[in-house]
Amino acid sequence: MNRFQGVKIMTNYEKFFEEQMQNPEIKKEYDRLEPTFSIIQAFIDARKASGLTQKELSIRTGITKIDISKIERGNANPSIQTLQQLAAGMGRMLKIQFV
């Protein structure tokens, strides 16, 4: 039996992240940006789960691969209509919630 089984080993990044979150200014900015990062990650995860490359999604939606790449890198601010079009291209529906 592995003596580390069930033990979480912290990576250098995780340690760095935890240290940075102790700074109130950094934490405030992280919290402000977190919803954007979550949307980007959800989009990337959905595209990959759909088994599509950026190019394939581009062909399906008519949205350029460059624009899809910009969205995934956080360098674009897509409209709800664009997000709906991308979701449809992945065989999905867009759902936005206020919590």
Side-chain angles (χ1 to χ4, degrees), residues 1-72:
M1 180 173 160
N2 183 339
R3 67 184 176 124
F4 294 110
Q5 187 173 358
V7 175
K8 183 172 181 342
I9 299 174
M10 190 176 296
T11 65
N12 287 338
Y13 172 77
E14 289 168 328
K15 184 176 180 181
F16 173 78
F17 181 81
E18 282 187 10
E19 289 170 359
Q20 296 306 303
M21 290 299 103
Q22 300 304 311
N23 181 323
E25 290 180 28
I26 293 173
K27 173 83 167 94
K28 182 178 176 181
E29 185 65 7
Y30 177 84
D31 289 344
R32 185 184 73 78
L33 294 171
E34 194 278 330
T36 300
F37 295 139
S38 291
I39 291 169
I40 292 167
Q41 192 61 57
F43 172 62
I44 293 168
D45 292 345
R47 179 182 59 76
K48 289 181 177 181
S50 297
L52 298 171
T53 64
Q54 290 179 349
K55 183 176 182 176
E56 291 167 333
L57 184 57
S58 172
I59 292 167
R60 286 187 179 196
T61 62
I63 297 170
T64 67
K65 180 186 174 300
I66 290 170
D67 286 340
I68 292 171
S69 177
K70 285 180 182 179
I71 292 167
E72 290 190 0

